[in-house]
Amino acid sequence: CVILDVQAACQDATVTQELLKEGFHRDLLVKVELGVVGEDAGGCAVAARTRLPPGIYVDPYELASLQQHNLTKAVLIPDVIDVEAPEYLATDLLVLLYMEPDPRCSRCFRAALPVHGRYHRPAEESEEALVVLKSPEVLVCCCDNRLSAECWKPAEVEAPCSGKNVGPCQWYSVTHKPAYKELILQVPVGLRQHSSLVCVVTLLATVLCSSLILAAVCKYGHFS
């Protein structure tokens, strides 16, 4: 587990999150700075539990590949995700993101997770849909030590303290102050008034491609 060097009374943690890159494919960066939490908090792991709305998702296959190379560690609930579903047919996703110590700060932790925007229904006026990400919950898991009930509250999390642990352990929820209560992801969407044009162009492209394929088959195909 991550070792926390702590000595004094309880203080709130500070959480910040930001979206890197542009477009549908982004990286969610989460940073946590723990307050002073008491002498009995040594030997603990830190994680951020966040609920992703239907408009954004994590690709489980991409995540598995990153975890094989030790680039990130996370638990998805549910672990089976339809990556092709549009926003209006998708459901929320719960993510437990394991944090790594920040070498520049003794009480700081950070982690990044690739996320992807889903397609939304066409809009009447705006060319962008807004996806709101709430501030994550900060969790601490102590493998060997008990934490003071004044500073920490038990959390119902069925997940190991780290990727190396086989069975679940007791996680505790930490009170925190988010730098921003919510993060906004802007997803491009189509306009309803363009639907007729899109249908006509799609139909013409389909007919043209089908004609080219049929012509190639008739010219080069061998029929018995």
Side-chain angles (χ1 to χ4, degrees), residues 64-87:
S65 177
L66 293 174
Q67 293 189 138
Q68 283 185 340
H69 295 86
N70 294 321
L71 297 178
T72 190
K73 290 188 293 183
V75 175
L76 304 181
I77 305 173
D79 55 358
V80 178
I81 301 171
D82 185 355
V83 299
E84 301 294 337
E87 178 270 341

PDB file of all heavy atoms in Angstrom, residues 64-87:
ATOM      1  N   ALA A  64      -7.846  -2.604 -20.047  1.00  0.00           N
ATOM      2  CA  ALA A  64      -7.117  -3.849 -19.795  1.00  0.00           C
ATOM      3  C   ALA A  64      -5.707  -3.783 -20.375  1.00  0.00           C
ATOM      4  O   ALA A  64      -4.737  -4.247 -19.763  1.00  0.00           O
ATOM      5  CB  ALA A  64      -7.879  -5.031 -20.373  1.00  0.00           C
ATOM      6  N   SER A  65      -5.579  -3.188 -21.568  1.00  0.00           N
ATOM      7  CA  SER A  65      -4.269  -3.049 -22.195  1.00  0.00           C
ATOM      8  C   SER A  65      -3.368  -2.127 -21.383  1.00  0.00           C
ATOM      9  O   SER A  65      -2.177  -2.420 -21.184  1.00  0.00           O
ATOM     10  CB  SER A  65      -4.427  -2.512 -23.624  1.00  0.00           C
ATOM     11  OG  SER A  65      -3.176  -2.299 -24.229  1.00  0.00           O
ATOM     12  N   LEU A  66      -3.908  -1.026 -20.882  1.00  0.00           N
ATOM     13  CA  LEU A  66      -3.123  -0.099 -20.077  1.00  0.00           C
ATOM     14  C   LEU A  66      -2.700  -0.732 -18.760  1.00  0.00           C
ATOM     15  O   LEU A  66      -1.578  -0.504 -18.279  1.00  0.00           O
ATOM     16  CB  LEU A  66      -3.927   1.172 -19.811  1.00  0.00           C
ATOM     17  CG  LEU A  66      -4.216   2.058 -21.024  1.00  0.00           C
ATOM     18  CD1 LEU A  66      -5.143   3.197 -20.636  1.00  0.00           C
ATOM     19  CD2 LEU A  66      -2.925   2.603 -21.617  1.00  0.00           C
ATOM     20  N   GLN A  67      -3.584  -1.534 -18.170  1.00  0.00           N
ATOM     21  CA  GLN A  67      -3.254  -2.172 -16.904  1.00  0.00           C
ATOM     22  C   GLN A  67      -2.190  -3.245 -17.078  1.00  0.00           C
ATOM     23  O   GLN A  67      -1.378  -3.483 -16.171  1.00  0.00           O
ATOM     24  CB  GLN A  67      -4.523  -2.755 -16.260  1.00  0.00           C
ATOM     25  CG  GLN A  67      -5.489  -1.673 -15.826  1.00  0.00           C
ATOM     26  CD  GLN A  67      -6.652  -2.180 -14.990  1.00  0.00           C
ATOM     27  OE1 GLN A  67      -7.028  -1.562 -14.013  1.00  0.00           O
ATOM     28  NE2 GLN A  67      -7.224  -3.301 -15.381  1.00  0.00           N
ATOM     29  N   GLN A  68      -2.160  -3.902 -18.232  1.00  0.00           N
ATOM     30  CA  GLN A  68      -1.114  -4.881 -18.498  1.00  0.00           C
ATOM     31  C   GLN A  68       0.262  -4.229 -18.522  1.00  0.00           C
ATOM     32  O   GLN A  68       1.260  -4.863 -18.169  1.00  0.00           O
ATOM     33  CB  GLN A  68      -1.376  -5.582 -19.827  1.00  0.00           C
ATOM     34  CG  GLN A  68      -2.463  -6.653 -19.762  1.00  0.00           C
ATOM     35  CD  GLN A  68      -2.606  -7.394 -21.076  1.00  0.00           C
ATOM     36  OE1 GLN A  68      -2.182  -6.900 -22.132  1.00  0.00           O
ATOM     37  NE2 GLN A  68      -3.192  -8.568 -21.027  1.00  0.00           N
ATOM     38  N   HIS A  69       0.311  -2.969 -18.948  1.00  0.00           N
ATOM     39  CA  HIS A  69       1.577  -2.241 -19.012  1.00  0.00           C
ATOM     40  C   HIS A  69       1.782  -1.344 -17.789  1.00  0.00           C
ATOM     41  O   HIS A  69       2.679  -0.490 -17.785  1.00  0.00           O
ATOM     42  CB  HIS A  69       1.623  -1.391 -20.286  1.00  0.00           C
ATOM     43  CG  HIS A  69       1.639  -2.198 -21.546  1.00  0.00           C
ATOM     44  ND1 HIS A  69       0.477  -2.645 -22.163  1.00  0.00           N
ATOM     45  CD2 HIS A  69       2.664  -2.658 -22.309  1.00  0.00           C
ATOM     46  CE1 HIS A  69       0.794  -3.319 -23.256  1.00  0.00           C
ATOM     47  NE2 HIS A  69       2.105  -3.351 -23.369  1.00  0.00           N
ATOM     48  N   ASN A  70       0.949  -1.534 -16.749  1.00  0.00           N
ATOM     49  CA  ASN A  70       1.063  -0.781 -15.497  1.00  0.00           C
ATOM     50  C   ASN A  70       0.991   0.732 -15.710  1.00  0.00           C
ATOM     51  O   ASN A  70       1.649   1.502 -15.012  1.00  0.00           O
ATOM     52  CB  ASN A  70       2.370  -1.137 -14.771  1.00  0.00           C
ATOM     53  CG  ASN A  70       2.399  -2.575 -14.304  1.00  0.00           C
ATOM     54  OD1 ASN A  70       1.388  -3.109 -13.844  1.00  0.00           O
ATOM     55  ND2 ASN A  70       3.563  -3.215 -14.417  1.00  0.00           N
ATOM     56  N   LEU A  71       0.181   1.151 -16.676  1.00  0.00           N
ATOM     57  CA  LEU A  71       0.020   2.577 -16.948  1.00  0.00           C
ATOM     58  C   LEU A  71      -1.123   3.192 -16.161  1.00  0.00           C
ATOM     59  O   LEU A  71      -1.164   4.412 -15.973  1.00  0.00           O
ATOM     60  CB  LEU A  71      -0.196   2.802 -18.448  1.00  0.00           C
ATOM     61  CG  LEU A  71       0.972   2.382 -19.345  1.00  0.00           C
ATOM     62  CD1 LEU A  71       0.640   2.610 -20.807  1.00  0.00           C
ATOM     63  CD2 LEU A  71       2.238   3.156 -18.962  1.00  0.00           C
ATOM     64  N   THR A  72      -2.064   2.371 -15.726  1.00  0.00           N
ATOM     65  CA  THR A  72      -3.154   2.840 -14.880  1.00  0.00           C
ATOM     66  C   THR A  72      -3.793   1.640 -14.215  1.00  0.00           C
ATOM     67  O   THR A  72      -3.625   0.496 -14.658  1.00  0.00           O
ATOM     68  CB  THR A  72      -4.208   3.622 -15.701  1.00  0.00           C
ATOM     69  OG1 THR A  72      -5.123   4.267 -14.810  1.00  0.00           O
ATOM     70  CG2 THR A  72      -4.985   2.693 -16.619  1.00  0.00           C
ATOM     71  N   LYS A  73      -4.525   1.879 -13.117  1.00  0.00           N
ATOM     72  CA  LYS A  73      -5.243   0.816 -12.404  1.00  0.00           C
ATOM     73  C   LYS A  73      -6.626   1.341 -12.037  1.00  0.00           C
ATOM     74  O   LYS A  73      -6.757   2.396 -11.422  1.00  0.00           O
ATOM     75  CB  LYS A  73      -4.486   0.385 -11.145  1.00  0.00           C
ATOM     76  CG  LYS A  73      -3.204  -0.376 -11.423  1.00  0.00           C
ATOM     77  CD  LYS A  73      -2.601  -0.947 -10.160  1.00  0.00           C
ATOM     78  CE  LYS A  73      -2.100   0.131  -9.238  1.00  0.00           C
ATOM     79  NZ  LYS A  73      -1.448  -0.421  -8.028  1.00  0.00           N
ATOM     80  N   ALA A  74      -7.653   0.591 -12.443  1.00  0.00           N
ATOM     81  CA  ALA A  74      -9.018   1.018 -12.161  1.00  0.00           C
ATOM     82  C   ALA A  74      -9.937  -0.188 -12.165  1.00  0.00           C
ATOM     83  O   ALA A  74      -9.643  -1.223 -12.771  1.00  0.00           O
ATOM     84  CB  ALA A  74      -9.487   2.055 -13.186  1.00  0.00           C
ATOM     85  N   VAL A  75     -11.072  -0.063 -11.480  1.00  0.00           N
ATOM     86  CA  VAL A  75     -12.124  -1.076 -11.449  1.00  0.00           C
ATOM     87  C   VAL A  75     -13.383  -0.438 -12.006  1.00  0.00           C
ATOM     88  O   VAL A  75     -13.777   0.657 -11.577  1.00  0.00           O
ATOM     89  CB  VAL A  75     -12.370  -1.593 -10.016  1.00  0.00           C
ATOM     90  CG1 VAL A  75     -13.555  -2.552  -9.988  1.00  0.00           C
ATOM     91  CG2 VAL A  75     -11.125  -2.284  -9.474  1.00  0.00           C
ATOM     92  N   LEU A  76     -14.027  -1.111 -12.981  1.00  0.00           N
ATOM     93  CA  LEU A  76     -15.243  -0.608 -13.598  1.00  0.00           C
ATOM     94  C   LEU A  76     -16.453  -1.380 -13.087  1.00  0.00           C
ATOM     95  O   LEU A  76     -16.414  -2.600 -12.968  1.00  0.00           O
ATOM     96  CB  LEU A  76     -15.173  -0.757 -15.128  1.00  0.00           C
ATOM     97  CG  LEU A  76     -13.978  -0.110 -15.833  1.00  0.00           C
ATOM     98  CD1 LEU A  76     -14.082  -0.338 -17.333  1.00  0.00           C
ATOM     99  CD2 LEU A  76     -13.890   1.371 -15.526  1.00  0.00           C
ATOM    100  N   ILE A  77     -17.536  -0.670 -12.775  1.00  0.00           N
ATOM    101  CA  ILE A  77     -18.789  -1.285 -12.338  1.00  0.00           C
ATOM    102  C   ILE A  77     -19.927  -0.660 -13.138  1.00  0.00           C
ATOM    103  O   ILE A  77     -20.210   0.530 -12.968  1.00  0.00           O
ATOM    104  CB  ILE A  77     -19.026  -1.081 -10.833  1.00  0.00           C
ATOM    105  CG1 ILE A  77     -17.821  -1.608 -10.040  1.00  0.00           C
ATOM    106  CG2 ILE A  77     -20.310  -1.774 -10.390  1.00  0.00           C
ATOM    107  CD1 ILE A  77     -17.898  -1.294  -8.558  1.00  0.00           C
ATOM    108  N   PRO A  78     -20.566  -1.410 -14.065  1.00  0.00           N
ATOM    109  CA  PRO A  78     -20.306  -2.821 -14.392  1.00  0.00           C
ATOM    110  C   PRO A  78     -19.061  -2.958 -15.262  1.00  0.00           C
ATOM    111  O   PRO A  78     -18.608  -1.984 -15.876  1.00  0.00           O
ATOM    112  CB  PRO A  78     -21.567  -3.224 -15.173  1.00  0.00           C
ATOM    113  CG  PRO A  78     -21.995  -1.949 -15.833  1.00  0.00           C
ATOM    114  CD  PRO A  78     -21.684  -0.854 -14.869  1.00  0.00           C
ATOM    115  N   ASP A  79     -18.510  -4.182 -15.322  1.00  0.00           N
ATOM    116  CA  ASP A  79     -17.297  -4.398 -16.099  1.00  0.00           C
ATOM    117  C   ASP A  79     -17.599  -4.728 -17.556  1.00  0.00           C
ATOM    118  O   ASP A  79     -16.687  -4.800 -18.379  1.00  0.00           O
ATOM    119  CB  ASP A  79     -16.449  -5.507 -15.477  1.00  0.00           C
ATOM    120  CG  ASP A  79     -17.221  -6.807 -15.296  1.00  0.00           C
ATOM    121  OD1 ASP A  79     -18.426  -6.832 -15.625  1.00  0.00           O
ATOM    122  OD2 ASP A  79     -16.622  -7.784 -14.826  1.00  0.00           O
ATOM    123  N   VAL A  80     -18.883  -4.945 -17.891  1.00  0.00           N
ATOM    124  CA  VAL A  80     -19.295  -5.171 -19.275  1.00  0.00           C
ATOM    125  C   VAL A  80     -19.961  -3.890 -19.779  1.00  0.00           C
ATOM    126  O   VAL A  80     -20.987  -3.461 -19.248  1.00  0.00           O
ATOM    127  CB  VAL A  80     -20.261  -6.370 -19.392  1.00  0.00           C
ATOM    128  CG1 VAL A  80     -20.721  -6.544 -20.830  1.00  0.00           C
ATOM    129  CG2 VAL A  80     -19.592  -7.641 -18.884  1.00  0.00           C
ATOM    130  N   ILE A  81     -19.365  -3.278 -20.811  1.00  0.00           N
ATOM    131  CA  ILE A  81     -19.819  -1.975 -21.289  1.00  0.00           C
ATOM    132  C   ILE A  81     -20.043  -2.039 -22.791  1.00  0.00           C
ATOM    133  O   ILE A  81     -19.204  -2.551 -23.529  1.00  0.00           O
ATOM    134  CB  ILE A  81     -18.779  -0.890 -20.966  1.00  0.00           C
ATOM    135  CG1 ILE A  81     -18.538  -0.825 -19.454  1.00  0.00           C
ATOM    136  CG2 ILE A  81     -19.225   0.473 -21.489  1.00  0.00           C
ATOM    137  CD1 ILE A  81     -17.371   0.062 -19.074  1.00  0.00           C
ATOM    138  N   ASP A  82     -21.180  -1.530 -23.236  1.00  0.00           N
ATOM    139  CA  ASP A  82     -21.473  -1.430 -24.657  1.00  0.00           C
ATOM    140  C   ASP A  82     -20.845  -0.135 -25.167  1.00  0.00           C
ATOM    141  O   ASP A  82     -21.395   0.950 -24.981  1.00  0.00           O
ATOM    142  CB  ASP A  82     -22.981  -1.440 -24.895  1.00  0.00           C
ATOM    143  CG  ASP A  82     -23.340  -1.467 -26.381  1.00  0.00           C
ATOM    144  OD1 ASP A  82     -22.419  -1.390 -27.219  1.00  0.00           O
ATOM    145  OD2 ASP A  82     -24.544  -1.549 -26.701  1.00  0.00           O
ATOM    146  N   VAL A  83     -19.700  -0.248 -25.830  1.00  0.00           N
ATOM    147  CA  VAL A  83     -18.981   0.939 -26.279  1.00  0.00           C
ATOM    148  C   VAL A  83     -19.631   1.575 -27.509  1.00  0.00           C
ATOM    149  O   VAL A  83     -19.288   2.703 -27.877  1.00  0.00           O
ATOM    150  CB  VAL A  83     -17.507   0.597 -26.571  1.00  0.00           C
ATOM    151  CG1 VAL A  83     -16.813   0.094 -25.312  1.00  0.00           C
ATOM    152  CG2 VAL A  83     -17.387  -0.434 -27.685  1.00  0.00           C
ATOM    153  N   GLU A  84     -20.557   0.876 -28.153  1.00  0.00           N
ATOM    154  CA  GLU A  84     -21.211   1.401 -29.352  1.00  0.00           C
ATOM    155  C   GLU A  84     -22.537   2.095 -29.045  1.00  0.00           C
ATOM    156  O   GLU A  84     -23.106   2.745 -29.921  1.00  0.00           O
ATOM    157  CB  GLU A  84     -21.468   0.257 -30.351  1.00  0.00           C
ATOM    158  CG  GLU A  84     -20.214  -0.476 -30.799  1.00  0.00           C
ATOM    159  CD  GLU A  84     -19.288   0.409 -31.617  1.00  0.00           C
ATOM    160  OE1 GLU A  84     -19.783   1.409 -32.191  1.00  0.00           O
ATOM    161  OE2 GLU A  84     -18.083   0.120 -31.688  1.00  0.00           O
ATOM    162  N   ALA A  85     -23.045   1.962 -27.836  1.00  0.00           N
ATOM    163  CA  ALA A  85     -24.354   2.525 -27.501  1.00  0.00           C
ATOM    164  C   ALA A  85     -24.312   4.048 -27.491  1.00  0.00           C
ATOM    165  O   ALA A  85     -23.343   4.645 -27.008  1.00  0.00           O
ATOM    166  CB  ALA A  85     -24.811   2.016 -26.136  1.00  0.00           C
ATOM    167  N   PRO A  86     -25.341   4.713 -28.013  1.00  0.00           N
ATOM    168  CA  PRO A  86     -25.414   6.177 -27.923  1.00  0.00           C
ATOM    169  C   PRO A  86     -25.757   6.605 -26.499  1.00  0.00           C
ATOM    170  O   PRO A  86     -26.132   5.769 -25.654  1.00  0.00           O
ATOM    171  CB  PRO A  86     -26.532   6.535 -28.900  1.00  0.00           C
ATOM    172  CG  PRO A  86     -27.400   5.322 -28.933  1.00  0.00           C
ATOM    173  CD  PRO A  86     -26.479   4.149 -28.758  1.00  0.00           C
ATOM    174  N   GLU A  87     -25.657   7.881 -26.246  1.00  0.00           N
ATOM    175  CA  GLU A  87     -25.877   8.400 -24.893  1.00  0.00           C
ATOM    176  C   GLU A  87     -27.260   8.067 -24.361  1.00  0.00           C
ATOM    177  O   GLU A  87     -27.425   7.723 -23.187  1.00  0.00           O
ATOM    178  CB  GLU A  87     -25.647   9.918 -24.915  1.00  0.00           C
ATOM    179  CG  GLU A  87     -25.877  10.622 -23.593  1.00  0.00           C
ATOM    180  CD  GLU A  87     -27.317  11.097 -23.420  1.00  0.00           C
ATOM    181  OE1 GLU A  87     -28.017  11.210 -24.449  1.00  0.00           O
ATOM    182  OE2 GLU A  87     -27.734  11.333 -22.275  1.00  0.00           O
TER     183      GLU A  87
END
